[in-house]
Amino acid sequence: MEITNNIKALLDTGASIGTPQMITDGCVPYAVVPDGYRMESIEHTLPIPTRKRGRVTLNDAKSFIAYFKKHNMASSIYGTLNPPRFLAVFDDHERDQAGWREHTAEYQCPLSPEWETWVHNNKRSMKQSDFAQFVEDNLPDIVDPSGADMLEISRSLEAKKKVNFASGIRLSNGQTQLTYEEEIQGTAAKGALQIPEIFSIGIAVLEGGPRYKVEARLRYRIDEGRLAFWYDLVRHHKVLENAVMDVWKEISEQTKQEIFHGDAQA
């Protein structure tokens, strides 16, 4: 029993005064720790880490490309369309060699505020006055009809918010004519208001990206003389897809890398 205790004491003493050992050149140094004689990394005591680690998030394609070019070695790029996202793995697996996959950069393709505003309000019914205000607030995004024409339409809608609308007909010029009645000095007067059936917006889809044209169908409903409006964006999911594919092409060309369609667990 005494011999066993003495051996343990010697092992404990040796472990406690053990010096860090490099397993192989260039790898992480380890030291023997008395508690259970486990191996524990002491890389944090070195002046610099033994290899690159970390996850970097970039906010635009230009920054993603620049960061990739700076760190590209045994690197891969993965991309997805839904949700739009690009992931660079700088220490990825190679054909005949495993990689740590601990140094990555991600570009999540953040959407522009204008895109989020128009998509959020898509198909949402608004009172006549609310729709007029929405048009005026987002006038810089509307490209067809012109901003001046849409401003005039929104102000006409605001001015006629107290009249009773009766019906609407589609005209040959692609517009819709709404007829209304209003009381002027005790006399009922009839009038007409023309609005476009289709209008177009030009907005950036991705934050910091180019503008894309998106068509919208203007819809209305007359309920007991009251008018409500909404719009339907025409296949806007394809506009988003096209914007992401343009970024896909840009990243691939600028980095000279094939982009794998999929994800990677780093």
Side-chain angles (χ1 to χ4, degrees), residues 181-198:
E181 295 179 353
E182 64 179 326
E183 188 173 317
I184 301 176
Q185 297 179 347
T187 303
K190 293 186 177 181
L193 178 67
Q194 290 190 17
I195 60 172
E197 184 179 2
I198 294 178

Side-chain angles (χ1 to χ4, degrees), residues 108-251:
Q108 296 182 345
C109 303
L111 301 173
S112 72
E114 294 82 5
W115 179 264
E116 290 188 321
T117 294
W118 283 95
V119 171
H120 174 74
N121 289 283
N122 187 37
K123 299 184 179 182
R124 185 171 72 88
S125 180
M126 292 178 251
K127 293 189 299 184
Q128 182 179 334
S129 58
D130 292 338
F131 182 77
Q133 186 63 54
F134 179 83
V135 169
E136 193 161 347
D137 289 345
N138 297 280
L139 201 61
D141 301 336
I142 301 174
V143 295
D144 186 28
S146 68
D149 289 342
M150 287 300 289
L151 180 60
E152 182 179 349
I153 291 170
S154 70
R155 289 178 174 173
S156 297
L157 289 173
E158 180 65 28
K160 301 300 182 183
K161 64 184 179 182
K162 294 183 179 180
V163 304
N164 291 320
F165 284 88
S167 63
I169 59 172
R170 183 179 179 183
L171 304 178
S172 59
N173 62 1
Q175 291 197 326
T176 297
Q177 180 174 284
L178 303 173
T179 60
Y180 61 84
E181 295 179 353
E182 64 179 326
E183 188 173 317
I184 301 176
Q185 297 179 347
T187 303
K190 293 186 177 181
L193 178 67
Q194 290 190 17
I195 60 172
E197 184 179 2
I198 294 178
F199 66 96
S200 299
I201 59 176
I203 56 175
V205 177
L206 304 179
E207 194 173 286
R211 299 175 68 180
Y212 290 80
K213 185 177 180 179
V214 188
E215 284 193 342
R217 297 188 181 98
L218 185 56
R219 306 299 195 192
Y220 70 92
R221 180 185 296 112
I222 299 174
D223 185 11
E224 296 182 354
R226 301 295 93 191
L227 194 60
F229 283 100
W230 69 94
Y231 59 86
D232 290 342
L233 295 177
V234 180
R235 293 178 63 80
H236 62 284
H237 65 285
K238 297 301 293 184
V239 179
L240 174 59
E241 182 179 309
N242 290 338
V244 178
M245 288 305 300
D246 287 344
V247 173
W248 191 297
K249 181 180 178 182
E250 179 187 4
I251 291 175

Side-chain angles (χ1 to χ4, degrees), residues 33-139:
V33 179
D35 182 14
Y37 309 116
R38 68 183 185 276
M39 300 293 289
E40 184 171 299
S41 169
I42 57 171
E43 184 183 11
H44 62 278
T45 65
L46 299 178
I48 59 174
T50 58
R51 65 174 180 272
K52 296 178 182 178
R53 301 181 183 88
R55 188 179 195 90
V56 176
T57 300
L58 290 315
N59 293 327
D60 57 50
K62 182 179 179 181
S63 298
F64 181 85
I65 292 168
Y67 191 85
F68 183 89
K69 288 181 176 180
K70 180 178 180 180
H71 295 281
N72 180 27
M73 291 181 66
S75 308
S76 302
I77 300 178
Y78 301 84
T80 56
L81 294 176
N82 187 21
R85 175 178 178 264
F86 296 90
L87 175 70
V89 182
F90 297 103
D91 50 353
D92 203 359
H93 302 316
E94 298 184 70
R95 183 189 300 272
D96 302 315
Q97 182 176 313
W100 288 100
R101 286 187 159 186
E102 290 187 335
H103 182 205
T104 63
E106 185 178 23
Y107 170 43
Q108 296 182 345
C109 303
L111 301 173
S112 72
E114 294 82 5
W115 179 264
E116 290 188 321
T117 294
W118 283 95
V119 171
H120 174 74
N121 289 283
N122 187 37
K123 299 184 179 182
R124 185 171 72 88
S125 180
M126 292 178 251
K127 293 189 299 184
Q128 182 179 334
S129 58
D130 292 338
F131 182 77
Q133 186 63 54
F134 179 83
V135 169
E136 193 161 347
D137 289 345
N138 297 280
L139 201 61

